[in-house]
Amino acid sequence: MKHIDLIQHFQTTGTVVSIEPLGAGHINDSFFVKTSESDNPDYLLQRINHQIFKDVELLQNNILHVTNHIRKKLIEKGEQDISRKTLTIIPAKDGKLFYFDGENYWRVYLFIQGGKSYDAITPALAYSAGKAFGEFQSYLADIPDAVYETIPNFHNMEFRLEQFREAVANDAAGRVKDNKEIIAAIESRADEMTKVERIGREGKLPKRINHCDTKVNNVLFDEEGQVLCVVDLDTVMPGYVVSDFGDFIRTGANTGAEDDADLDNISVNLDIYTSYAQGYLKTARSFLLPLEIEFLPFGARLLTYMQTVRFFTDYLNGDTYYKTQFPEHNLQRTKAQLKLLEDLEDKEEQLILK
Ligand code: ADP
Ligand code: GN1
Ligand code: MG
């Protein structure tokens, strides 16, 4: 179905003048929907990847509960301009939170005007993002609705390793034989990297409602470099806060790209790391346990390792999960993440937070 026809199924207003692809996410497809009237909102149309988010109704209900709760918190704080500070779902004309066209699932959000997302940031932007993700967790600490795992075991390292080992055993794309070194690099760290799961089971690390995709490009900044809005709420679910901390560092503090072909570009920028940590602790310290704070630097390594494992597992499976731009893209991503992991390991002492 054409995008313009899809929009007619939602409770939007105004006359659509253009629909253009937007963003560089690896999972969903996003489109900027512009309307002609200056006093009318623009929209974001998204095709939901339902191979990955298998229960679209649960997904959309999660997002509705999360955004409603955040909106309530923003109102209590006396914030202005709330429709730019959290996502607003535009329901379909039948009242559902998505539209199924017989093949694909679609949703519409209000477009957040003036929001800018970056792939490379400064320490000042990192500080602002840190504060925003700490606030995000604090807002959701008392959400009354159940928040479900939209992807079961999403950030469970033990589960990700099981998937990896299964992929090695199946060798579906015949790629195991040329990549023994990467397999060894993953296995040699597996025990240490699953310790959060073990300590969690002992009851020493709590699960909190996390964003679970704190990639740097999931934050929209305003003109002054303050965070306007945290977006991409598909994976908001219970988890360990080290996950959210680590995923931001993995993306925002990398001097290279997530898939950099030149490994020499890749390292951790310690100024960005420290600024993000300071921002995050400013808004989150009050509710974090000392052990959670102690584990934050480990989170940076853990999420970089997890992403290495996830990209590589997808590569071994024949590239079935992430969008790829060329045949060896997942391998290139794997090597880039592994390089970042090695740099984080080398700088372990410098990552300790005071
Ligand atoms: P994906 O799951 O594919 O990463 P996102 O939900 O992150 O998709 O959207 C892709 C990009 O579109 C984001 O990185 C952000 O820059 C932009 N974006 C997302 N939601 C909005 C919105 N409501 N208004 C304006 N821009 C948005
Ligand atoms: C995906 O959708 P996007 O691009 O923001 C992925 C994240 C990964 C990330 C790696 C649902 O995020 O978990 O960390 O790619 N999202 C899902 O860049 O798997
Ligand atoms: Mg995204």
Side-chain angles (χ1 to χ4, degrees):
M1 189 179 280
K2 285 205 288 224
H3 295 141
I4 186 82
D5 298 328
L6 288 164
I7 284 289
Q8 315 305 328
H9 291 278
F10 289 88
Q11 296 177 29
T12 55
T13 54
T15 318
V16 174
V17 287
S18 60
I19 303 183
E20 303 288 341
L22 176 96
H26 297 342
I27 307 294
N28 299 313
D29 295 331
S30 306
F31 302 88
F32 171 53
V33 180
K34 190 165 178 41
T35 66
S36 56
E37 301 80 359
S38 58
D39 56 346
N40 195 78
D42 297 324
Y43 300 97
L44 183 88
L45 169 70
Q46 279 188 328
R47 186 179 71 88
I48 301 169
N49 185 330
H50 71 276
Q51 304 302 327
I52 290 178
F53 297 102
K54 295 196 187 324
D55 188 340
V56 174
E57 193 152 338
L58 177 139
L59 171 77
Q60 289 300 92
N61 274 320
N62 250 23
I63 297 176
L64 183 73
H65 292 149
V66 165
T67 51
N68 280 348
H69 193 69
I70 293 175
R71 189 168 298 107
K72 198 172 129 226
K73 294 282 168 166
L74 294 172
I75 293 169
E76 279 168 15
K77 266 181 79 184
E79 291 273 357
Q80 304 296 311
D81 203 10
I82 287 173
S83 62
R84 293 205 303 153
K85 294 187 177 157
T86 186
L87 289 177
T88 305
I89 299 177
I90 306 294
K93 287 195 173 144
D94 62 6
K96 285 211 176 82
L97 302 177
F98 58 88
Y99 173 71
F100 181 59
D101 68 4
E103 197 180 340
N104 287 301
Y105 290 83
W106 299 87
R107 69 179 163 211
V108 171
Y109 289 118
L110 271 188
F111 188 81
I112 296 169
Q113 298 292 351
K116 212 169 149 22
S117 70
Y118 300 88
D119 282 305
I121 53 163
T122 59
L125 291 173
Y127 181 78
S128 173
K131 277 197 309 186
F133 279 119
E135 238 161 28
F136 185 87
Q137 289 173 344
S138 76
Y139 290 159
L140 294 176
D142 62 350
I143 185 167
D145 314 278
V147 179
Y148 297 99
E149 289 197 333
T150 50
I151 301 175
N153 290 311
F154 188 52
H155 277 185
N156 177 337
M157 196 58 243
E158 290 171 347
F159 174 73
R160 293 298 178 187
L161 280 165
E162 271 172 37
Q163 290 184 316
F164 157 72
R165 287 171 183 147
E166 213 176 291
V168 173
N170 293 341
D171 195 14
R175 289 168 163 174
V176 166
K177 65 178 182 326
D178 294 330
N179 292 288
K180 298 275 191 210
E181 266 180 44
I182 296 176
I183 295 173
I186 289 174
E187 284 297 357
S188 69
R189 292 163 170 93
D191 188 53
E192 194 192 3
M193 290 297 156
T194 46
K195 71 180 177 194
V196 166
E197 299 302 330
R198 292 190 293 275
I199 295 170
R201 272 196 296 274
E202 287 166 20
K204 294 182 189 150
L205 282 173
K207 284 201 174 175
R208 305 182 188 279
I209 306 297
N210 267 3
H211 182 281
C212 279
D213 192 2
T214 53
K215 268 169 90 160
V216 58
N217 63 14
N218 286 329
V219 177
L220 298 178
F221 294 91
D222 66 16
E223 293 299 326
E224 276 79 50
Q226 294 303 314
V227 169
L228 194 54
C229 187
V230 167
V231 301
D232 204 346
L233 305 180
D234 291 328
T235 52
V236 177
M237 65 175 88
Y240 301 111
V241 295
V242 294
S243 269
D244 275 8
F245 181 82
D247 225 4
F248 189 91
I249 300 304
R250 179 185 75 76
T251 53
N254 185 351
T255 54
E258 186 185 54
D259 60 349
D260 218 306
D262 183 354
L263 298 184
D264 290 339
N265 288 339
I266 298 172
S267 64
V268 55
N269 178 321
L270 291 172
D271 289 337
I272 291 182
Y273 174 86
T274 309
S275 299
Y276 184 80
Q278 283 168 349
Y280 177 60
L281 288 174
K282 184 162 173 65
T283 48
R285 195 187 283 280
S286 62
F287 63 82
L288 294 176
L289 302 177
L291 193 63
E292 288 176 291
I293 298 177
E294 197 184 309
F295 262 84
L296 294 177
F298 178 75
R301 281 195 283 142
L302 173 59
L303 268 285
T304 307
Y305 174 77
M306 190 184 296
Q307 200 57 58
T308 309
V309 172
R310 291 180 62 196
F311 282 146
F312 189 59
T313 301
D314 195 33
Y315 180 68
L316 294 182
N317 287 338
D319 311 311
T320 59
Y321 186 94
Y322 293 106
K323 289 185 203 168
T324 50
Q325 267 105 50
F326 51 91
E328 300 286 286
H329 201 171
N330 273 321
L331 183 62
Q332 187 170 307
R333 286 167 169 158
T334 304
K335 289 179 179 167
Q337 293 296 298
L338 197 51
K339 173 70 202 293
L340 180 63
L341 177 62
E342 286 163 0
D343 194 56
L344 288 163
E345 289 169 348
D346 289 346
K347 295 185 179 141
E348 189 178 351
E349 295 295 314
Q350 297 165 75
L351 299 180
I352 295 170
L353 298 169
K354 310 269 155 17

